[in-house]
Amino acid sequence: MPKPKQILQNTFGYAEFRPPQGEIIDTVLAGGDALVLMPTGGGKSLCYQVPALARDGCAIVISPLIALMQDQVDALKQLGIRASFLNSTLPPFEAEAVEQQLLTGELDLLYIAPERLNQPRMLELLAQSRLALFAIDEAHCVSQWGHDFRSDYLKLTLLHEQFPAVPRIALTATADARTRAEIVSRLDLGEARQFIAGFDRPNICYRIAPRHNPKTQLLKFLKNEHPNDAGIVYCLSRNKTEQIAAWLCEEGFTALPYHAGLSSEMRAYHQSRFLKEDGVIVVATIAFGMGIDKPDVRFVAHLDLPKTVESYYQETGRAGRDGQPADAWMVYGLQDVIKLRQMMANSEGSEEHKRAEQHRLNAMLGLCEITSCRRQALLGYFGEELPEPCGNCDTCLNPVDTWDGTEAARMALSAAYRTGQRFGVNHLIDVLRGAENDRIFQWDHHLLPTHGVGRDLDANQWRSVFRQLVARGYFSVDLEGFGSLRLEPKCRPLLKGEESIDLRREVKQTAAKRQTKTPLPENLDVGLWEALRDCRRRLAEAQGVPPYVIFHDSTLQEMCVTQPTSMSQFSELGGVGQRKLDKYGEVFLRVIADQKGLVPQESDLTA
Ligand code: ADP
Ligand code: ZN
């Protein structure tokens, strides 16, 4: 067996490489450079961890995610890999010990913060050590276009200058061509082989629904589908994250707020509870998530609309990194559009910048209102084509009914036009439905020909019509005029009868009918599942590591299904390498035997 595959099976406990992994590893093993572009959860880490073990010397991993280094190293140690890290959180005497290990060849992998690498002392140390490779994680940090720019990354070209014989592998999940070109030029990777994996995350089920009563909708989603799962709820404002977190706690969930206004201790504490406890929900602004690589986040819920498809993709991408089914769930309404457009109008940027932002928001709205497969649209946005509808998004699972909204749209446009384009949605609905209230009389709107022409639709249906017309750019929202609606040139052909329009029919949001299996198969032995999770939790707590570092959910599930009774059966489970077999095999076999009322044979346990 070739060495990399042996390492994959014996150390990591996985049977096969995923498609580009094998080739990437071969490239690096042969001493070549590689640029790896893979979505979150695609399996980037193995691409440098396997060569780190297969090659002589220590692999140096440059990563900006200092807060995560400890966890990453803990996880590697669980696999029996000699890993360590150097960053500013380490007391000097410990750092010195690590440096010594590097010099004497006692390390397979060393994570370091980029600012360290630029210190002469560090470079000298590297020059005296045997190096297997350099891995540059989160390589998009060299890009000044992106939002994660780190100036220390610019100096990483010196790796190539000072250590021309050591192969380099740069990794990122950031897609766009401009960033990629910048990585290549700034890191001097012109000779590197590029590996670009698709951006699809097939295990994520995308669901977007109109917002009626967000709390009720969220509660139903959580209670029905994720009662004990870890997840993230994103909100736009700090205030709202606090309120929602407090309310979820009242409803019996473990929910913690996270936003830039909390002290750094509080944020670190909440993040660590999210990582280390089972089933914690973090209610956060977008400040939360950069580099969270918790694999078992089962859902990401948005109560407010992200500004761009890029943000939506990045935020939802934090779900299901372990490849198990996960939900990206969102509710949104007209209010979001108004609020976001307002924020953009008030932002500092140039007119050109504002137009670009507007454009990106429109793409996001397009994704919300689309009646065909969401995944096709999402991937299409990133320039990737999915030939068939995916079968794992809300529009695929519950096909959207459309109706001919031409007449209703004309009524809505005409109501806005005849009232001087000075009124917001609520008043226009009153006009259309023929309301007789003070405001109507005050403006003589009961005298308009449009007054009462729209009684056939109720207020919610009208709201849906207006939302779709705004989202599709027939109306613009005047932000100084308290959200009054103005007609856009796009509506001319519709008003003239040259064009018709199909609108989404809103249905009460039901649980998506899944074709993929949910994280817990229905016939799963719940008692055994809970007992295994309990065992994992105890082991994790004893070592101060997150539970998924012991075993991923998928491994526990496999235990439930296959119910191994011997060490050799246990070693067949995905994610069980030699070290974990030795360390945890017996404990878990006992739990399984206890639950099943079997007495394990001593010979089985030691076989
Ligand atoms: P990324 O860094 O690209 O976001 P990770 O390296 O964290 O992704 O890998 C995501 C998950 O996939 C991890 O749980 C990892 O153990 C798992 N994984 C990676 N490669 C394989 C493989 N060949 N077989 C099975 N699981 C894998
Ligand atoms: Zn689909």
Side-chain angles (χ1 to χ4, degrees):
M1 203 189 305
K3 212 169 167 190
K5 189 121 182 238
Q6 233 169 358
I7 294 173
L8 180 74
Q9 295 181 352
N10 294 347
T11 305
F12 294 89
Y14 296 132
E16 298 289 342
F17 284 116
R18 291 178 184 162
Q21 285 176 333
E23 259 187 287
I24 297 167
I25 290 165
D26 288 343
T27 302
V28 178
L29 282 184
D33 294 340
L35 171 60
V36 175
L37 235 127
M38 245 190 226
T40 309
K44 284 186 286 299
S45 340
L46 275 188
C47 298
Y48 60 82
Q49 287 166 350
V50 171
L53 298 177
R55 281 178 71 91
D56 257 358
C58 178
I60 307 295
V61 186
I62 294 111
S63 165
L65 308 173
I66 291 176
L68 294 181
M69 287 183 184
Q70 179 78 59
D71 282 346
Q72 286 170 325
V73 164
D74 284 346
L76 289 168
K77 285 185 173 161
Q78 289 284 332
L79 299 170
I81 296 171
R82 303 174 304 169
S84 204
F85 67 88
L86 280 176
N87 65 35
S88 50
T89 66
L90 218 53
F93 66 94
E94 280 186 39
E96 246 167 67
V98 173
E99 290 174 9
Q100 207 53 39
Q101 289 174 322
L102 174 64
L103 279 172
T104 51
E106 291 164 62
L107 287 178
D108 301 313
L109 271 143
L110 177 63
Y111 287 78
I112 66 178
E115 60 272 16
R116 282 247 154 183
L117 204 73
N118 300 325
Q119 296 167 0
R121 173 185 163 76
M122 189 71 220
L123 288 171
E124 225 164 88
L125 190 70
L126 291 179
Q128 289 165 30
S129 310
R130 227 182 141 73
L131 301 179
L133 59 96
F134 289 110
I136 301 160
D137 207 3
E138 313 289 341
H140 59 276
C141 291
V142 291
S143 164
Q144 277 165 321
W145 291 110
H147 33 70
D148 295 335
F149 174 64
R150 306 288 165 106
S151 58
D152 286 309
Y153 262 68
L154 292 181
K155 306 197 190 100
L156 294 183
T157 37
L158 60 81
L159 293 180
H160 194 34
E161 291 154 16
Q162 303 212 1
F163 308 95
V166 180
R168 294 169 303 153
I169 170 170
L171 311 105
T172 177
T174 299
D176 66 285
R178 188 161 65 175
T179 308
R180 197 189 323 152
E182 237 186 313
I183 295 173
V184 169
S185 81
R186 290 196 194 276
L187 292 180
D188 198 3
L189 282 170
E191 307 279 295
R193 258 191 84 181
Q194 297 197 10
F195 297 89
I196 299 165
F199 272 75
D200 193 10
R201 303 283 313 279
N203 60 314
I204 298 182
C205 179
Y206 296 99
R207 295 154 65 178
I208 304 176
R211 189 172 56 213
H212 303 300
N213 186 338
K215 280 184 166 178
T216 316
Q217 288 172 294
L218 179 64
L219 197 61
K220 195 165 151 207
F221 168 65
L222 295 179
K223 288 208 158 143
N224 289 345
E225 303 183 51
H226 297 283
N228 301 307
D229 289 336
I232 306 172
V233 178
Y234 281 111
C235 306
L236 213 53
S237 76
R238 297 174 181 187
N239 224 335
K240 189 163 164 188
T241 64
E242 305 251 357
Q243 286 168 11
I244 297 287
W247 164 76
L248 282 176
C249 289
E250 285 167 25
E251 294 290 339
F253 293 92
T254 310
L256 305 167
Y258 190 104
H259 57 74
L262 295 174
S263 68
S264 59
E265 293 81 25
M266 190 66 107
R267 273 180 308 184
Y269 174 62
H270 287 179
Q271 174 167 332
S272 126
R273 286 193 60 189
F274 180 64
L275 294 176
K276 298 206 167 151
E277 292 174 27
D278 275 329
V280 173
I281 298 173
V282 165
V283 187
T285 58
I286 50 172
F288 184 71
M290 161 74 174
I292 293 295
D293 65 357
K294 183 175 167 65
D296 53 358
V297 176
R298 293 270 68 87
F299 67 89
V300 169
H302 280 94
L303 289 178
D304 292 304
L305 189 72
K307 276 188 227 170
T308 64
V309 178
E310 284 89 346
S311 321
Y312 175 74
Y313 178 80
Q314 196 175 43
E315 285 151 28
T316 54
R318 291 170 186 140
R321 292 177 69 127
D322 54 8
Q324 298 288 303
D327 280 306
W329 179 97
M330 176 162 85
V331 288
Y332 94 105
L334 185 56
Q335 212 47 42
D336 286 313
V337 185
I338 296 176
K339 213 171 0 179
L340 287 178
R341 292 228 159 112
Q342 208 143 25
M343 279 165 69
M344 284 176 192
N346 296 338
S347 81
E348 305 272 287
S350 64
E351 279 311 307
E352 192 196 341
H353 177 75
K354 286 184 189 172
R355 254 199 310 279
E357 277 197 318
Q358 196 61 253
H359 210 74
R360 303 209 297 180
L361 174 60
N362 288 342
M364 185 63 226
L365 290 171
L367 181 66
C368 294
E369 296 292 351
I370 200 168
T371 52
S372 53
C373 173
R374 302 235 195 244
R375 190 180 316 269
Q376 281 182 319
L378 188 58
L379 293 176
Y381 183 82
F382 293 114
E384 201 176 313
E385 198 194 332
L386 187 71
E388 295 290 322
C390 74
N392 192 30
C393 71
D394 54 356
T395 50
C396 281
L397 293 167
N398 303 307
V400 183
D401 222 9
T402 57
W403 58 292
D404 182 354
T406 313
E407 204 48 45
R410 278 193 202 130
M411 287 182 193
L413 292 166
S414 133
Y417 183 72
R418 290 188 183 267
T419 52
Q421 311 188 56
R422 281 184 294 144
F423 294 87
V425 176
N426 289 333
H427 186 73
L428 295 178
I429 293 176
D430 281 349
V431 172
L432 286 162
R433 299 212 3 97
E436 299 186 334
N437 56 33
D438 290 352
R439 238 168 107 83
I440 292 283
F441 292 132
Q442 180 192 345
W443 296 96
D444 279 342
H445 286 166
H446 57 297
L447 304 176
L448 293 174
T450 29
H451 187 249
V453 293
R455 285 200 176 93
D456 286 351
L457 301 184
D458 67 24
N460 269 337
Q461 289 167 320
W462 275 117
R463 214 171 292 281
S464 155
V465 171
F466 278 105
R467 193 196 71 235
Q468 296 186 60
L469 291 175
V470 171
R472 297 204 206 169
Y474 289 90
F475 277 126
S476 63
V477 181
D478 176 15
L479 303 167
E480 266 119 57
F482 306 102
S484 55
L485 297 187
R486 294 225 187 117
L487 275 60
E488 287 292 299
K490 191 178 172 184
C491 65
R492 229 169 266 141
L494 190 62
L495 283 173
K496 283 205 232 146
E498 297 164 3
E499 201 185 89
S500 59
I501 182 172
D502 279 344
L503 296 176
R504 285 176 80 94
R505 192 187 300 283
E506 312 293 0
V507 281
K508 277 247 155 69
Q509 199 189 17
T510 48
K513 280 181 258 134
R514 282 166 189 286
Q515 287 162 4
T516 52
K517 65 177 182 352
T518 52
L520 283 188
E522 265 170 34
N523 52 359
L524 190 94
D525 181 337
V526 178
L528 177 55
W529 169 251
E530 286 305 329
L532 292 169
R533 293 228 304 181
D534 216 51
C535 173
R536 177 176 71 173
R537 191 178 311 130
R538 274 184 284 112
L539 290 167
E541 270 169 19
Q543 300 175 67
V545 298
Y548 56 77
V549 165
I550 308 291
F551 283 128
H552 280 184
D553 284 355
S554 55
T555 307
L556 294 196
Q557 265 177 46
E558 249 188 279
M559 282 183 217
C560 278
V561 174
T562 62
Q563 304 192 353
T565 53
S566 69
M567 288 291 266
S568 71
Q569 285 172 13
F570 198 86
S571 74
E572 301 283 303
L573 300 169
V576 179
Q578 190 56 47
R579 169 60 74 101
K580 287 194 175 173
L581 179 67
D582 295 344
K583 228 173 149 182
Y584 304 124
E586 283 191 26
V587 191
F588 281 93
L589 282 173
R590 256 180 228 290
V591 172
I592 295 166
D594 279 351
Q595 280 293 317
K596 307 312 292 177
L598 303 169
V599 183
Q601 303 290 314
E602 278 309 312
S603 58
D604 282 346
L605 287 180
T606 49

